[in-house]
Structures are given as C-alpha cells and as structure tokens.
Amino acid sequence: MRIPNLLYEFQSVFNTTKTPRSFFAPGRINLIGEHTDYNGGHVFPASISFGTYALAHKREDQKLRFFSMNFTDTGIIECDLNNLNYDETHSWANFPKGVIKYICENGFKISNGMDILYYGNIPNGAGLSSSASIEMVTGVLLEGLYNLTIDRLEIIKLGQKVENEYIGVNSGIMDQFAIGKGRKNHAILLNCQTLEYEYAPIELDNHVIMIINTNKQRTLAGSKYNERRSQCEEALKDLQTELPIQSLGDLSIEQFEEQKYLIQDETNRKRAKHVVYENERTLKALLLLRQGNLDQFGSLMNESHLSLQNDYEVTGFELDTLVKTAREQPGVIGARMTGAGFGGCAIAIVEKNKLDSFRDNVNKIYASAIGYEASFYTASIGDGAREITGGVL
Ligand code: GLA
C-alpha cells in the first residue's frame, strides 16, 4: 500500500518548514485467544505491517495541535498542555491527549507543546486496533521527542488506561501489548494474568494469513463489549463462592465442568464456558504451531469461531457468513473472527496458490448474502511501535 508524502502534508497542514521526526505503530491481528485477556487468560496476537504513522515536532509554546489525514473533516484539533481533560469535541484526538496526560501524570516531563500529524492505513473500526495503534505511536513519539526512557510495559499499560479510564471501554491489555512488543514474523503468546510472554515464529510455508474485513461498522462495540466483561465478572463471583480462583483463566476445562453449576445465570455460564475453553485452545495452538501442525491449528481456529458465535455471541450475521464461506473454499485450513467482534475482520489461513479463487468466491457469496462487498488483505507480520530513522517518509 502506497504511503502519501507525509513530510509534505505535515509542512503544509502546519504551515512550517521544520522537519519533524517520524514514528510508526502497527495494528494487530489475534490468531486465537479472544475475549480471554480481561479474564486473566492467554492471547496469541501478532503486529501487522499496516498501522499508524505520526510525524511530530516540538513547539516553542504549550500548544498541542493534532491533525489526522484519516479525519480531515475535523481539521486541526488544538488544546493546551495544561488542560488535557477529555473533551468530546476533540473526537479522535482524545486518544493521543489521554496518552500525553497519563505520561505527564506518571512523572515524565513534557516541557513544550507539539504539532503532530497522523496517518493510518489500518481500516477504521475493523477490529485491527487502530485506536491502540494511535495510543502506542503517541507513546513512542513522546519518548523520542523529549528524550525519555520509558519502560515499554509502562507505555503499554498507559495505553490500556486511556481506553479504560479516559475513553470508557473496559478493554484488556492484548492490543497495546501486541503493538508495543510486536516482532517481525512472530506472534506473541501472552499470559494476561502474569504478563509473561514468549515469541513464536510464524512459518506458514505454502500458506498465508488473509485478513478479511466484513466492512460492517461496529457502532455498538463499546457497550456490548463492556456488557460481556461484566457477565464474566458475575460468573467469576459465583465461582469464587466455592473456589479460590482469581480469574476465569485459572480454571481448567475439567474444573469448569465440575463447578459450572455455581454460576447462577445461564447466559453468564455460556460466557464463562467460552473463556475457559478458548484459553485451553490458545495454549494448545502454540504447541501445534511449534510442531508445524497447521491442520490442527486451523481446526482450533474454527472451534474458536463457533464458540464466539454460540457461547460468547459476539459474531453476527456478517462475520458468520464470511467465516463459513471462507472455510468452504479449497486450500483453507481455518478461519475465525479476530478482535472484539460485532463486525470488523476475520482471518483465514489460505494456501498461497489458491488466493485468487479464494478472494473471488468468498466475495461473490458474501456480497450476494449481505448486500455489499468484503475487503481482503494479506497480512505480513511486522515489528512493534518504533521511531522511523534514516529520514522522514
Ligand atoms: C478488543 C480489546 C482487547 C480484547 C479483544 C477481544 O480488541 O481491545 O483487549 O479483549 O477485543 O479478544
């Protein structure tokens, strides 16, 4: 995908001849382990080559000026370093504002204002973490511009805090972690309770990971997401009346099956079931990939989707149609939704020499069932958030 001349854009938007520094943070896909992060379980995400670019320059005064080439309608959004409170009229710029606010509150000195231009090539609202990508690119640009040494995990946690406390979505730590710690050609197996993690090389030989966007916008995602989280918390509380566990991620499938009667509400029981089984699938997935057993890995992806469809109920007609159609194509090893759900993207592992027919067939069937087309991207797994050195873009 061609990237526009961002230096030119920066200089004309901010009417300056100054040369800014350039930073990049990727988006992410999650191979498996969905809605397990805020339940103390495991996730298995990877950072992708699409993401958010930010060009930034310090100012002499205390003004912050933000411009996004993805939301040109909102123009330059301006505020002051001394007032970083959430402001609805600041729309998308609340994400970087939140990061700046919390970095200052953690004791790092941001002495001057800045001009920052953002450009993202992650489709918005597609479940590939465009918001965590903006947060993380803002974290690394502050580090770079003000010569700060901030532990990467601290930036990751601040990004999550922005979502939870500043924006009001009670998301887990997966997205910021995958984006902050991503490594080229590797996925990350992360234990969300202890934050221990390991990298697993993704070598798919004759296959590629396709990202398929339902192109359904996820307007209700925030509220439904928070609802799922509370249902899991209620299920956990019921289980804790008898079991000394800290999170649903502590339970094996056997323990869950024996003790699930403790969960009073039937819907909550289904939510917890998904989490426990998905957590075990995620651990199994790592082992299978290590053994090069792609077929079994694909089966786990399929099971994961079914569980998100029937027990967690976060898929919807578009994702289900897409995933079912994808799976029926020759050369497909597995397919599932990725990210929060409620629309957004699916991923499929597809044989390289079947890609064209895969795209054509899936798109045809999807468009006739849904009324509009899907979009297809091949995912390459790239490095995490960083400064782009060696000249601006
Ligand atoms: C969103 C959240 C993550 C995670 C996923 C579901 O991407 O930001 O923390 O909960 O949904 O796995």
Side-chain angles (χ1 to χ4, degrees):
M1 201 179 284
R2 214 179 66 81
I3 296 159
N5 184 337
L6 300 181
L7 173 59
Y8 169 81
E9 296 287 343
F10 180 90
Q11 293 181 331
S12 53
V13 163
F14 293 117
N15 193 18
T16 177
T17 51
K18 295 204 172 109
T19 304
R21 282 166 67 180
S22 306
F23 302 84
F24 174 77
R28 67 98 191 88
I29 51 173
N30 187 21
L31 297 178
I32 195 161
E34 219 66 85
H35 290 277
T36 44
D37 61 350
Y38 53 84
N39 284 305
H42 293 79
V43 291
F44 201 13
S47 49
I48 54 177
S49 47
F50 301 122
T52 312
Y53 294 83
L55 272 62
H57 201 278
K58 265 196 226 170
R59 297 173 53 88
E60 300 297 318
D61 57 17
Q62 301 283 293
K63 258 190 215 161
L64 291 166
R65 297 199 297 169
F66 305 98
F67 183 84
S68 167
M69 290 173 60
N70 300 79
F71 302 103
T72 50
D73 287 356
T74 54
I76 293 180
I77 296 171
E78 195 172 306
C79 69
D80 195 278
L81 255 186
N82 304 309
N83 179 7
L84 292 169
N85 292 333
Y86 183 89
D87 180 338
E88 211 179 308
T89 64
H90 287 166
S91 128
W92 65 271
N94 280 303
F95 290 97
K97 269 179 68 182
V99 173
I100 301 170
K101 180 176 159 74
Y102 292 150
I103 289 218
C104 293
E105 285 179 5
N106 271 21
F108 296 101
K109 185 140 183 54
I110 308 291
S111 46
N112 307 49
M114 279 172 286
D115 289 336
I116 315 176
L117 174 124
Y118 291 90
Y119 166 73
N121 55 9
I122 315 175
N124 288 325
L128 302 177
S129 288
S130 53
S131 64
S133 177
I134 296 179
E135 289 152 14
M136 294 307 293
V137 81
T138 306
V140 293
L141 81 80
L142 292 173
E143 209 181 7
L145 242 48
Y146 298 91
N147 255 328
L148 308 170
T149 310
I150 316 179
D151 188 66
R152 190 44 70 98
L153 192 56
E154 189 169 351
I155 308 185
I156 290 169
K157 287 183 175 167
L158 287 179
Q160 188 194 6
K161 187 171 165 190
V162 170
E163 295 286 343
N164 296 171
E165 293 176 20
Y166 199 82
I167 305 291
V169 178
N170 290 329
S171 50
I173 201 162
M174 169 171 75
D175 303 347
Q176 290 80 5
F177 202 99
I179 292 170
K181 295 253 189 196
R183 182 184 285 179
K184 196 171 166 49
N185 296 332
H186 288 74
I188 310 175
L189 195 273
L190 169 68
N191 177 333
C192 299
Q193 183 133 299
T194 62
L195 296 187
E196 284 167 309
Y197 63 101
E198 58 184 296
Y199 290 101
I202 300 296
E203 288 152 2
L204 300 177
D205 300 327
N206 299 325
H207 293 83
V208 287
I209 304 173
M210 284 292 295
I211 301 177
I212 319 159
N213 190 349
T214 58
N215 287 324
K216 181 191 181 192
Q217 288 298 318
R218 301 173 310 153
T219 38
L220 280 175
S223 59
K224 286 281 178 201
Y225 184 96
N226 289 351
E227 182 188 283
R228 290 298 178 279
R229 186 163 184 163
S230 336
Q231 290 168 330
C232 289
E233 279 160 8
E234 277 169 31
L236 175 65
K237 251 194 229 135
D238 288 348
L239 289 163
Q240 282 171 329
T241 56
E242 297 283 332
L243 300 174
I245 53 169
Q246 273 184 40
S247 70
L248 295 178
D250 287 340
L251 286 177
S252 66
I253 288 178
E254 293 70 29
Q255 280 171 316
F256 173 76
E257 290 299 339
E258 267 168 33
Q259 309 287 344
K260 65 182 179 193
Y261 71 90
L262 291 168
I263 305 173
Q264 302 297 311
D265 181 272
E266 201 187 321
T267 304
N268 293 350
R269 210 176 302 139
K270 275 177 23 175
R271 306 298 189 238
K273 177 180 171 211
H274 163 76
V275 173
V276 172
Y277 279 74
E278 181 78 351
N279 192 33
E280 293 232 342
R281 274 192 287 274
T282 309
L283 289 169
K284 242 196 236 163
L286 174 76
L287 301 178
L288 290 170
L289 267 191
R290 288 247 151 90
Q291 296 161 4
N293 193 338
L294 217 51
D295 282 334
Q296 291 271 338
F297 180 79
S299 306
L300 288 181
M301 289 175 73
N302 296 343
E303 283 172 29
S304 165
H305 187 90
L306 274 182
S307 169
L308 289 155
Q309 178 177 341
N310 299 327
D311 289 330
Y312 218 68
E313 296 178 287
V314 291
T315 54
F317 185 54
E318 294 80 0
L319 273 170
D320 293 340
T321 307
L322 196 58
V323 164
K324 179 170 174 289
T325 313
R327 249 184 239 153
E328 286 163 359
Q329 305 308 311
V332 173
I333 280 183
R336 60 181 292 276
M337 57 157 265
T338 193
F342 313 104
C345 284
I347 52 172
I349 300 190
V350 188
E351 210 178 296
K352 272 184 191 152
N353 59 17
K354 303 253 171 30
L355 279 183
D356 288 342
S357 60
F358 173 82
R359 249 187 239 118
D360 292 348
N361 293 345
V362 172
N363 202 26
K364 204 159 68 203
I365 299 171
Y366 181 78
S368 78
I370 306 293
Y372 51 84
E373 300 197 341
S375 309
F376 297 77
Y377 322 89
T378 328
S380 52
I381 300 179
D383 283 324
R386 61 193 181 271
E387 178 159 14
I388 303 171
T389 45
V392 285
L393 295 151

